[in-house]
Amino acid sequence: MGTLKKIGVWLGRILAVIGALVVVLVVVAVLGLLLLGRGPQIADNSVLEIKLSGDLPEKASEDPIAGLLGTPALTFKDALDNLKKAAIDTRIKGVVLRLDGTSLGWARVEELREALMQFRQTGKFAVGYAEGISERGYYLALALDRFYLPPTGGFEMNGLVSSNSHLPGLLAKIGIGVQYFRYGKYKSVSGETFGQPAFSEPVKEMINFNLTEQYETFVGAVATARKLPASEVRRLIDTNRPTAEWALANKLIDGIAYWDEVEAGLKKQAGIAADKDLPKVSATEYARVSLEELGLNRGPNKIGYIVAEGLVVSGGSGPVNPLSGGPVQGSEPLIKALREAGRREDIKAVVMRVNSPGGAGLGCDLVRREVERLRAKKPVVVSMGDSAASGGYWIAMDASAIVAQPSTQTGSIGIFAVIPNVEQLNRDLTLTPEVFKRGARADVLSGNRPLNPEEAKIFDQELLSSYRRFVALAAKGRNKTVPQMEALAQGRTWLGRKALELGLVDRLGGIDTAIALAAEKAKVAPDTVALERLEGEQSTLASLLGAEATRMALRSLGIERTVSRLAPPFSLDVLLSEHLYPLALPQRFE
């Protein structure tokens, strides 16, 4: 009886915790609903303060525990919309960009640069400040009126580098063997990092080609913004001294100042007395001001907006991909959103934002098929972010049109697989696996032994078949012959500008370019469209209250980041249940 009593007490405590959590969620929901109709109070002569640190996700998760609470409040599109709103908001006098390190890739930095330059065309000021900056941050800062560093602030502009460590040697030392399979001679940086002790010559060629292209883009941007010859920019890169004083002496920044001095200058520009506080509104707070509130996004013709972010796999989404550190995008929510767009007559076209390094063959093909089916009913335009390569390109290639930034990593039409085994590790640790099986190859992917020659041949043939199908589907989607596409495929990753030249994408630009193109294909005027985000999955709370109400409730309490620790870790089951061979981790040029 004592044991039963203890169990009863234990269950009672669990139920009490669950009940308390439900009460908290209800209170949060009610507060959120109350605050939804009450936007932030923006003072006249305000400055929009944008603090960039780390990443800006393409979407915020809708699950208040497993996703929403663990993501930053501001999405990438929020940041773009903020600049669009601030450009016409008479209460906003200018923008201050505070850079504290950003993990945005080159392509999304380009898109943010374009938005800042469009903002400046209104005549409002855009000023930047950082305690230290490197190439990608500086690339963004070049779009500003003025940019400052503090005394002894860091200024790194010594060029771009691609650095990779190959794992097979380390794995061998700890008793893990790998068997590497691939189709496409350029496939791929990530594949050869996991599967080979050194890069093959074709992969070296690809890395160097793209590195040169990114470097020249950077040099050209610096030369244009700072009114310097390109040859002088290259000389400065090669002789870089990483100090604010050096940068100012070489006309690469506009001044050296402490933050209080920059703030004093902002007060003067905004017409605020020196002894008064500068009215500032944070980017997160300003995101609560809707586009519609300022007369934007009110057109009668709706365009659906769907986001595919992260490693694409079949089934549902997850928070973290252990290979890339980014999110996992399930096929099911994308398919659900695409089908909703197809059913609704009020949606004239769809823009699908793809920011994905790759994925699993099945999940990618299921989404591709749904895009193909929707395209038969209405236009589907893909907007590519930092990367839409391999599996990311797979889900995009059947769209009506594809839009990419000049630096978007795209293509990588190829296949690879790395099959690990712990046979030597078992020996080293004197572990003795006992295997009972029915079927000669039942344990083929158990990891306790390598594939034998016959099994390796079968696996290789399956991989070749998958590669040929990938190429054939890409050829069909892009209106090319298979030989034409084969010449562009081979697992090679191209940057967006070259991808346009080769016919892998249709136009250069960002989300706004894709929206305008979708309107054009739907035969409606761009100024008559309203974007509507289509969600493929929602938490119970979000489904009851609406996604925006849930997000607003949690933002209003300021607990999104705090509860991020409650998000469950990514399950390694996906690595066992999915064939990850189309994965192509994006190549980072730092």
Side-chain angles (χ1 to χ4, degrees):
M1 292 298 293
T3 301
L4 289 175
K5 185 176 181 181
K6 288 179 181 178
I7 292 174
V9 171
W10 181 69
L11 288 173
R13 288 174 179 172
I14 290 176
L15 291 173
V17 170
I18 293 173
L21 180 59
V22 170
V23 170
V24 168
L25 289 176
V26 170
V27 170
V28 167
V30 171
L31 286 173
L33 287 172
L34 291 173
L35 290 170
L36 262 177
R38 205 181 80 200
Q41 301 301 304
I42 311 295
D44 289 337
N45 301 318
S46 287
V47 172
L48 173 61
E49 184 176 49
I50 302 173
K51 293 183 178 180
L52 275 187
S53 176
D55 193 20
L56 287 174
E58 291 289 339
K59 61 180 177 181
S61 171
E62 300 306 335
D63 189 325
I65 294 177
L68 177 58
L69 294 179
T71 58
L74 199 72
T75 68
F76 184 72
K77 191 169 186 309
D78 285 337
L80 297 177
D81 287 345
N82 274 354
L83 290 169
K84 197 177 297 184
K85 291 180 294 187
I88 62 172
D89 191 337
T90 56
R91 298 167 297 181
I92 302 294
K93 289 297 181 181
V95 165
V96 58
L97 179 66
R98 299 195 63 174
L99 286 159
D100 185 25
T102 177
S103 56
L104 292 175
W106 286 95
R108 292 199 293 164
V109 167
E110 280 172 337
E111 191 163 358
L112 209 49
R113 269 169 48 87
E114 291 165 6
L116 280 166
M117 288 188 284
Q118 287 178 6
F119 172 83
R120 285 179 55 194
Q121 289 176 5
T122 64
K124 297 184 179 185
F125 63 82
V127 175
Y129 180 83
E131 293 179 1
I133 201 163
S134 58
E135 287 83 3
R136 261 184 298 147
Y138 184 56
Y139 187 46
L140 179 58
L142 291 170
L144 303 168
D145 295 314
R146 297 183 310 285
F147 178 69
Y148 299 94
L149 289 171
T152 69
F155 184 83
E156 179 188 318
M157 195 183 79
N158 56 3
L160 307 184
V161 62
S162 172
S163 178
N164 301 271
S165 296
H166 293 263
L167 300 179
L170 171 64
L171 296 175
K173 286 186 176 182
I174 60 176
I176 299 176
V178 295
Q179 289 170 282
Y180 179 57
F181 302 83
R182 68 103 183 270
Y183 276 97
K185 66 180 181 179
Y186 297 99
K187 188 74 177 186
S188 66
V189 172
S190 51
E192 294 197 351
T193 297
F194 285 114
Q196 294 199 156
F199 286 131
S200 63
E201 290 305 315
V203 169
K204 290 179 184 178
E205 174 196 338
M206 177 180 70
I207 292 171
N208 278 310
F209 184 90
N210 288 341
L211 184 58
T212 296
E213 187 171 355
Q214 192 68 70
Y215 177 73
E216 292 302 327
T217 296
F218 176 70
V219 168
V222 176
T224 300
R226 306 309 298 185
K227 297 181 173 56
L228 296 169
S231 58
E232 174 64 6
V233 175
R234 293 189 187 93
R235 187 191 71 80
L236 291 171
I237 288 172
D238 290 340
T239 58
N240 172 245
R241 296 280 298 279
T243 66
E245 290 76 12
W246 180 88
L248 180 62
N250 287 284
K251 303 178 182 179
L252 296 171
I253 62 175
D254 299 288
I256 293 176
Y258 292 103
W259 169 246
D260 62 284
E261 295 173 311
V262 173
E263 196 171 36
L266 293 174
K267 286 182 186 180
K268 187 175 181 180
Q269 280 194 277
I272 304 298
D275 59 341
K276 302 292 183 182
D277 290 334
L278 176 68
K280 289 185 292 188
V281 56
S282 72
T284 302
E285 188 74 359
Y286 196 57
R288 291 177 52 205
V289 176
S290 69
L291 290 164
E292 291 77 9
E293 202 174 318
L294 291 166
L296 301 170
N297 204 48
R298 286 184 174 275
N301 297 304
K302 289 186 178 179
I303 289 181
Y305 185 66
I306 299 171
V307 175
E309 181 175 33
L311 181 76
V312 181
V313 300
S314 61
S317 299
V320 178
N321 161 27
L323 297 179
S324 69
V328 173
Q329 173 64 66
S331 61
E332 288 180 358
L334 292 178
I335 290 169
K336 183 179 177 182
L338 289 163
R339 287 179 179 172
E340 180 187 348
R343 284 192 301 268
R344 287 178 50 180
E345 292 184 4
D346 60 328
I347 292 179
K348 307 301 182 185
V350 168
V351 169
M352 184 166 77
R353 176 72 166 185
V354 178
N355 194 41
S356 169
L362 174 60
C364 294
D365 198 47
L366 293 175
V367 176
R368 180 208 64 80
R369 171 60 177 161
E370 212 57 47
V371 171
E372 180 185 44
R373 292 180 63 213
L374 180 57
R375 187 185 66 178
K377 297 180 181 179
K378 55 190 69 175
V380 182
V381 177
V382 164
S383 167
M384 293 178 166
D386 287 328
S387 177
S390 199
Y393 191 75
W394 195 320
I395 69 173
M397 62 193 182
D398 273 281
S400 309
I402 299 175
V403 177
Q405 288 291 343
S407 297
T408 298
Q409 297 183 59
T410 188
S412 192
I413 301 168
I415 299 288
F416 84 80
V418 178
I419 308 298
N421 72 84
V422 293
E423 186 177 53
Q424 185 60 48
L425 181 62
N426 285 338
R427 290 196 196 101
D428 294 343
L429 299 178
T430 63
L431 297 172
T432 308
E434 289 191 89
V435 178
F436 302 88
K437 64 181 182 179
R438 297 297 181 270
R441 294 195 293 270
D443 63 338
V444 66
L445 294 177
S446 67
N448 285 316
R449 64 174 180 83
L451 306 184
N452 64 39
E454 180 185 1
E455 292 164 343
K457 182 178 180 181
I458 292 171
F459 192 84
D460 189 61
Q461 289 171 341
E462 290 179 352
L463 222 57
L464 175 58
S465 176
S466 295
Y467 172 67
R468 286 174 173 165
R469 185 166 186 271
F470 194 173
V471 173
L473 287 171
K476 177 173 172 286
R478 299 303 302 165
N479 297 312
K480 294 182 181 293
T481 66
V482 171
Q484 286 173 333
M485 184 56 70
E486 175 69 28
L488 306 179
Q490 293 293 327
R492 183 158 186 168
T493 300
W494 306 93
L495 297 189
R497 185 177 285 109
K498 188 66 176 180
L500 175 66
E501 181 184 323
L502 297 173
L504 294 174
V505 304
D506 300 286
R507 197 166 294 184
L508 295 181
I511 296 171
D512 284 346
T513 302
I515 293 169
L517 185 53
E520 175 187 319
K521 289 188 172 294
K523 296 181 171 56
V524 297
D527 59 353
T528 67
V529 301
L531 204 65
E532 179 181 338
R533 182 172 164 180
L534 302 179
E535 305 291 353
E537 59 185 354
Q538 291 185 351
S539 66
T540 303
L541 182 63
S543 63
L544 289 172
L545 304 177
E548 189 58 35
T550 305
R551 184 181 299 114
M552 192 66 70
L554 294 164
R555 279 182 183 173
S556 67
L557 294 182
I559 60 174
E560 288 178 283
R561 294 179 184 270
T562 303
V563 195
S564 64
R565 299 178 182 86
L566 296 178
F570 175 80
S571 171
L572 291 180
D573 289 346
V574 70
L575 299 180
L576 302 175
S577 63
E578 301 279 354
H579 295 294
L580 293 176
Y581 45 79
L583 174 68
L585 302 182
Q587 179 67 25
R588 300 302 290 264
F589 301 133
E590 303 296 344

